[in-house]
Amino acid sequence: MKKLLVVDDAIFIRLMVKDALKGEFEVVAETDTAEESISLYEKLKPDVVTMDISLAGAMNGIEALKQIRANDPSARVIMVSAMGDQANIKASIELGAYDFIVKPFSKDQLKKTVQLAGG
């Protein structure tokens, strides 16, 4: 089973992501901080990461995306955020995000995108 790391500051969103992908992806970890997401990515090497922009801690999700992709250019990170303005979407894609899903999202939309990213 493919491995998934879920990064979001809202526990209910993390639960929604896990529920939408139940049986298809193994959620190997979840966190609400960018700093921990970088550490968990290095340790667990998940196939896909879902990453919010607004996170607890000093860093945001775009900074975490940048760091994860710098350490592993093949990392598949899907940004999942309510901050879906053009500047954030553009910055995310330029930094190598696989895709950008704007909250609120449908479970089907999330599932299809993560399945495509997970290969």
Side-chain angles (χ1 to χ4, degrees):
M1 192 176 292
K2 300 279 185 174
K3 298 185 295 185
L4 177 70
L5 170 60
V6 181
V7 186
D8 200 293
D9 62 331
I11 192 162
F12 76 94
I13 295 291
R14 295 196 309 264
L15 290 169
M16 279 182 63
V17 170
K18 290 190 298 186
D19 183 56
L21 300 168
K22 184 173 36 187
E24 305 226 9
F25 282 80
E26 174 191 1
V27 176
V28 291
E30 61 181 271
T31 183
D32 63 354
T33 71
E35 295 85 354
E36 190 175 19
S37 73
I38 296 164
S39 166
L40 287 168
Y41 184 88
E42 288 301 309
K43 181 175 149 189
L44 302 171
K45 299 291 186 200
D47 298 293
V48 181
V49 178
T50 60
M51 177 81 65
D52 191 4
I53 291 177
S54 180
L55 297 169
M59 292 174 66
N60 69 26
I62 291 177
E63 293 164 334
L65 166 67
K66 185 176 181 179
Q67 188 75 34
I68 288 170
R69 295 272 306 166
N71 295 341
D72 179 2
S74 68
R76 294 183 176 252
V77 180
I78 299 168
M79 304 305 285
V80 181
S81 180
M83 298 172 64
D85 57 83
Q86 288 301 318
N88 281 322
I89 294 171
K90 185 174 187 253
S92 297
I93 299 302
E94 285 176 353
L95 289 170
Y98 180 82
D99 205 341
F100 196 111
I101 297 174
V102 179
K103 293 178 190 173
F105 55 85
S106 74
K107 286 184 179 183
D108 285 343
Q109 176 191 22
L110 177 71
K111 190 174 185 176
K112 286 177 188 168
T113 303
V114 174
Q115 286 172 332
L116 287 171

